[in-house]
Each structure stands twice: as structure tokens, then as C-alpha cells.
Amino acid sequence: MLDVQNIVFSYNKSTILNHVSFKAKKGENIAIIGESGSGKSTLLKLIYGEYDLNSGHISWNNQPILGPKFNLVVGYDFIKHVTQEFDLMPFTSVEENVGKHLSNFFPERKKDRVNELLEIVELSDFKNVKVKTLSGGQKQRVALARALAKAPEIILLDEPFSHIDSFKKRSLRRNVFNFLKQENITCLVATHDKNDVLGFADKVLVLQDQKVAFKDTVENLYKSPNIPLVASFFGEHNSINGQLVYANQLTVTKQSDIEIMVKRSYFKGSYYLIEGMRNGSSIFFHYDTALQEGVNVFLKID
Ligand SMILES: Nc1ncnc2c1ncn2[C@@H]1O[C@H](COP(=O)(O)OP(=O)(O)OP(=O)(O)O)[C@@H](O)[C@H]1O
């Protein structure tokens, strides 16, 4: 169990995290969301032991996780932290990078493990390629594979698929998150992308104003987003009579007290996102076809 207890942290004067507490069970996948600058990456760095806390405690199975004041070498063997910097060896091959921390004592076992990981990150064809010649997205995949190589107990992922194109992203996400579940690795993922969360995270932690504003299951948080920040994370939303309503919860009806004038229609593939105006504010809803600008329609909340 990862236990983050009442931590307070500031880089210099301004406090970034103020009395943050939460727990993560073995094998659990926890997504950390929040506005840019809310402290998601900082929280992951603290859990890795990269900085000293002002106060509070972090432990894994009762073993304290300590910062550089207490450790000559930053970090712990049982935690892997995949940052945005990747930190790879540019002049060696993909295979060597992934296998870097694996023992050479059982070469066959090492080879099999590297091959398994390269399949997960879909880089088997790049095995012998030097890392410096790879694209940003490919480097990110090498960094993920390397972090998974020794099956850590905890993996900290900071925007893990941000550099990867949308063709690859979906299958890669499934591969990586399913692998983590299968190996029972506790995963904390800081993300701005709802697709990293929906279908994968067990819990979501919302950072706001230096604190954990909410911690709940994805389903509960999606159904009751509580604050616009959470609703906007999951999709286009409106505030109607004080209630947060997703665009896909609104349907056109014959008569209601929500009357809007159509302003614009955006083609979204399987639906159109319609922007309408009501009392000087935009209202967004989904519709099967484009609607003519200036037309008045009534909406109801499903
Ligand atoms: N090394 C540092 N020294 C001083 N301040 C820092 C340092 N790293 C981050 N900060 C500040 O701490 C705050 C939190 O940064 P952090 O990177 O943790 O946010 P974040 O939620 O991960 O943001 P993003 O979503 O943009 O990645 C920001 O105001 C940032 O400017």
C-alpha cells in the first residue's frame, strides 16, 4: 500500500501541495488530474523521492520514501518514474535501452523479456535501431518499456502517451494498462487526457488549490463532476440553472424552459456538436445533423 500522509511541499516560497493525503493499494491504477500547474508532476516526483517534503510522510508497505536529504541516490528500485524527459541512452539500440536494468545472468530470459516489452509498446521492428534516430513518440515508448522491464511495484507515469500519435495511442494505452493490471503494479498516472482515465483508472484524484479536491471512482466522478474543472476534463459541458450538464445529456424537445438559438454546428464524426446561445451564454449539445444558424430550439436534460 502506498500511503501519502498529509504532505506539504513548496519549491521555494509558494506552497504547491498543502496537506495532501491518499492511499493506493497494490495493483491499483490512480489517475491524477488537475489544471496545468496544479502540482501533478510534483506529486509524482515526491512519491519517487526526488525532493524532500516540508512535512508529512510517504511510505510504501510501511517503508518510508525519503528525499535527497536522506538518500545519496535519488529514487528506489521498486518505483519507476517515467517523466517527460525520457532519459534514454541515445547512442545505443532500443533493445539495449529496454534491457538496461535487466540482469545478464540469464541472457535468454532477458531476451524474452525485452521482446515481450517491445511487443507491448509496439516497437519490435525497431529493436536494433539507435535511440537518437527515433521520433519523440517512439522514444516515449522506449522509456515506457524500460520502466516496465523489471516489473516495479509502483510506476509513476507523467503524461505517458503525450508524444504518441492517435493511431498508436489507443492500442498502446490498452497494452500498457492491461500489462500493469496483469502484473499487479500500482500505477499513478498524471494526465490531461480523459482517454487515459476512462476504462483504465480505478480512482481519480483531483488536485485543486494545492489540495486533493476530490478522490473517487471514475464512474462516480463522471456522473457527479461537482466542479466545472472535472466536467470539462470529461467533455464539453454546460452550467444550466446551477447544474453541470454534459453536452450529450441534452436532447432537442418540442417545448421546455431551455430555449436556445443555434449559433454554429461542428462536425464531430458520429454526431454534430451544436453551439447555441441562451441568455448571452453558449450552450453545447449533440445532434445527429447540423442545425441552421439562427433557428430556435428547445432542449431537455436526459
Ligand atoms: N523545479 C521547480 N522549481 C520551482 N518551481 C517549480 C519547479 N517545478 C515546478 N514548479 C512549479 O510548481 C507548480 C506545479 O508544477 P507541476 O509541474 O507539478 O504542475 P502540473 O500539474 O504537473 O502541470 P502540467 O499539467 O502543466 O504538467 C507550477 O507552478 C510550477 O511552475
Side-chain angles (χ1 to χ4, degrees), residues 84 140 144 157-164 177 189-191 196:
Q84 300 279 358
Q140 192 165 32
L144 275 167
L157 303 176
D158 200 340
E159 296 279 349
F161 310 109
S162 57
H163 290 69
I164 293 157
F177 287 132
V189 52
T191 183
D196 291 344

Side-chain angles (χ1 to χ4, degrees), residues 11-12 16 35-42 51 192:
Y11 284 105
N12 13 61
I16 307 294
E35 271 180 311
S36 186
S38 59
K40 302 180 293 298
S41 302
T42 303
Y51 296 109
H192 287 285

Side-chain angles (χ1 to χ4, degrees), residues 5-228:
Q5 242 186 66
N6 224 5
I7 62 170
V8 177
F9 177 76
S10 50
Y11 284 105
N12 13 61
K13 276 195 184 135
S14 60
T15 305
I16 307 294
L17 297 170
N18 198 4
H19 297 286
V20 163
S21 299
F22 70 94
K23 289 182 168 66
K25 289 188 217 129
K26 185 158 176 57
E28 211 170 16
N29 177 325
I30 298 198
I32 304 167
I33 70 169
E35 271 180 311
S36 186
S38 59
K40 302 180 293 298
S41 302
T42 303
L43 180 57
L44 295 188
K45 286 175 184 168
L46 293 171
I47 294 170
Y48 188 58
E50 200 168 317
Y51 296 109
D52 295 298
L53 301 170
N54 299 16
S55 62
H57 302 277
I58 301 176
S59 65
W60 171 249
N61 295 339
N62 299 321
Q63 176 185 344
I65 293 176
L66 302 168
K69 235 187 238 169
F70 305 89
N71 279 328
L72 211 55
V73 181
V74 164
Y76 289 83
D77 274 352
F78 57 88
I79 311 181
K80 284 282 175 273
H81 186 199
V82 185
T83 65
Q84 300 279 358
E85 278 93 53
F86 312 148
D87 196 20
L88 299 168
M89 304 180 291
F91 300 102
T92 55
S93 70
V94 166
E95 184 180 24
E96 284 168 278
N97 268 274
V98 173
K100 185 186 171 197
H101 300 298
L102 295 176
S103 157
N104 287 318
F105 205 69
F106 301 103
E108 278 307 308
R109 212 184 278 177
K110 177 171 175 174
K111 211 168 129 197
D112 289 348
R113 181 69 175 172
V114 170
N115 287 340
E116 179 192 19
L117 292 160
L118 289 179
E119 253 175 59
I120 287 170
V121 297
E122 299 177 11
L123 275 181
S124 303
D125 293 345
F126 292 82
K127 199 169 158 172
N128 300 315
V129 172
K130 278 201 177 57
V131 159
K132 78 174 172 77
T133 65
L134 297 179
S135 72
Q138 289 166 334
K139 283 181 188 149
Q140 192 165 32
R141 281 144 66 194
V142 177
L144 275 167
R146 195 183 58 183
L148 294 170
K150 269 182 93 178
E153 292 179 63
I154 311 173
I155 192 158
L156 309 170
L157 303 176
D158 200 340
E159 296 279 349
F161 310 109
S162 57
H163 290 69
I164 293 157
D165 65 67
S166 45
F167 305 108
K168 274 266 174 292
K169 225 178 232 185
R170 286 186 204 97
S171 61
L172 196 65
R173 231 186 234 122
R174 279 194 297 272
N175 291 355
V176 169
F177 287 132
N178 290 342
F179 179 80
L180 293 174
K181 273 285 169 207
Q182 178 196 312
E183 305 244 331
N184 211 17
I185 297 169
T186 304
C187 168
L188 268 67
V189 52
T191 183
H192 287 285
D193 190 339
K194 68 173 177 196
N195 296 308
D196 291 344
V197 177
L198 292 167
F200 301 114
D202 298 304
K203 300 257 170 62
V204 182
L205 209 113
V206 184
L207 286 184
Q208 194 190 35
D209 298 333
Q210 299 98 45
K211 294 197 185 311
V212 176
F214 301 98
K215 186 190 174 203
D216 211 332
T217 61
V218 189
E219 223 172 308
N220 285 346
L221 214 55
Y222 178 84
K223 286 180 184 157
S224 308
N226 298 305
I227 50 172

